[in-house]
């Protein structure tokens, strides 16, 4: 008889969690030189239309998601599961928490971006019921930088 893993304890990020969360994002390869993760966390925490949710297994932060909305569509970023804790359902749990957070805000649609080469992430989101959009994303840096990969 197999024992189901204990559910993650989900909570909004606290000041004491920030360095551990940034370290997890770096370990998962989610950070990019043009995005300061500390600034991204601060921005997400600044208003009531976004947050960073963390999932703890025991005392350890093993999953995260940054979730927010523009009043019409929800978005998630920095979906991370500690590499040593994968294949235990933590990704599904943290995404369900993000969906619940958006539902409570009255948001009916969730969107996310996946790098084309990240086929593992694409397969994960498809397993959760996401479908590839027919929309094309355009981007422009408002500080004058050129396009980023």
């Amino acid at each position: 008889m197999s024992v189901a893993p204990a559910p993650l304890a989900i909570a909004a990020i606290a000041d004491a969690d920030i360095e551990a969360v940034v370290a997890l994002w770096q370990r998962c390869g989610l950070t990019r030189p043009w995005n300061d993760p500390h600034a991204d966390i601060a921005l997400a925490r600044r208003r009531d239309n976004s947050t960073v949710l963390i999932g703890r297994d025991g005392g350890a932060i093993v999953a995260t998601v940054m979730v927010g909305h523009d009043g019409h569509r929800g978005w998630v970023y920095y979906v991370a599961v500690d590499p040593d804790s994968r294949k235990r359902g933590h990704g599904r749990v943290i995404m369900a928490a993000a969906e619940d957070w958006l539902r409570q805000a009255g948001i009916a649609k969730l969107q996310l971006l996946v790098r084309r080469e990240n086929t593992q992430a694409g397969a994960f989101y498809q397993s959760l019921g996401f479908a590839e959009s027919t929309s094309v994303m355009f981007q422009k840096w408002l500080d004058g930088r050129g396009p980023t990969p």
Side-chain angles (χ1 to χ4, degrees):
M1 176 166 83
S2 64
V3 177
L8 293 182
I10 305 294
I13 192 171
D15 290 346
D17 302 322
I18 293 173
E19 293 309 317
V21 167
V22 170
L24 175 60
W25 292 352
Q26 290 169 338
R27 188 167 181 217
C28 292
L30 298 179
T31 59
R32 295 294 182 263
W34 53 86
N35 288 340
D36 175 0
H38 292 90
D40 288 347
I41 291 169
L43 182 61
R45 296 176 76 197
R46 194 170 299 149
R47 306 245 171 142
D48 63 356
N49 68 327
S50 57
T51 192
V52 178
L53 300 175
I54 60 170
R56 290 185 194 275
D57 183 3
I61 297 171
V62 296
T64 68
V65 62
M66 180 182 289
V67 58
H69 66 85
D70 59 14
H72 183 67
R73 291 178 184 89
W75 288 89
V76 294
Y77 305 90
Y78 292 110
V79 178
V81 173
D82 187 293
D84 294 336
S85 297
R86 291 188 178 156
K87 304 297 182 191
R88 298 181 192 169
H90 297 331
R92 290 181 177 280
V93 171
I94 201 71
M95 283 298 295
E99 290 180 16
D100 289 345
W101 189 92
L102 288 166
R103 280 187 199 96
Q104 290 174 10
I107 304 300
K109 184 177 185 183
L110 172 55
Q111 299 183 156
L112 54 90
L113 302 172
V114 176
R115 295 182 187 285
R116 292 187 207 293
E117 67 273 9
N118 194 344
T119 57
Q120 185 177 4
F124 168 69
Y125 293 117
Q126 287 178 344
S127 79
L128 295 179
F130 285 81
E132 190 171 323
S133 173
T134 58
S135 300
V136 175
M137 186 188 81
F138 289 87
Q139 67 178 6
K140 176 182 178 181
W141 285 99
L142 301 179
D143 63 4
R145 284 184 266 184
T148 52

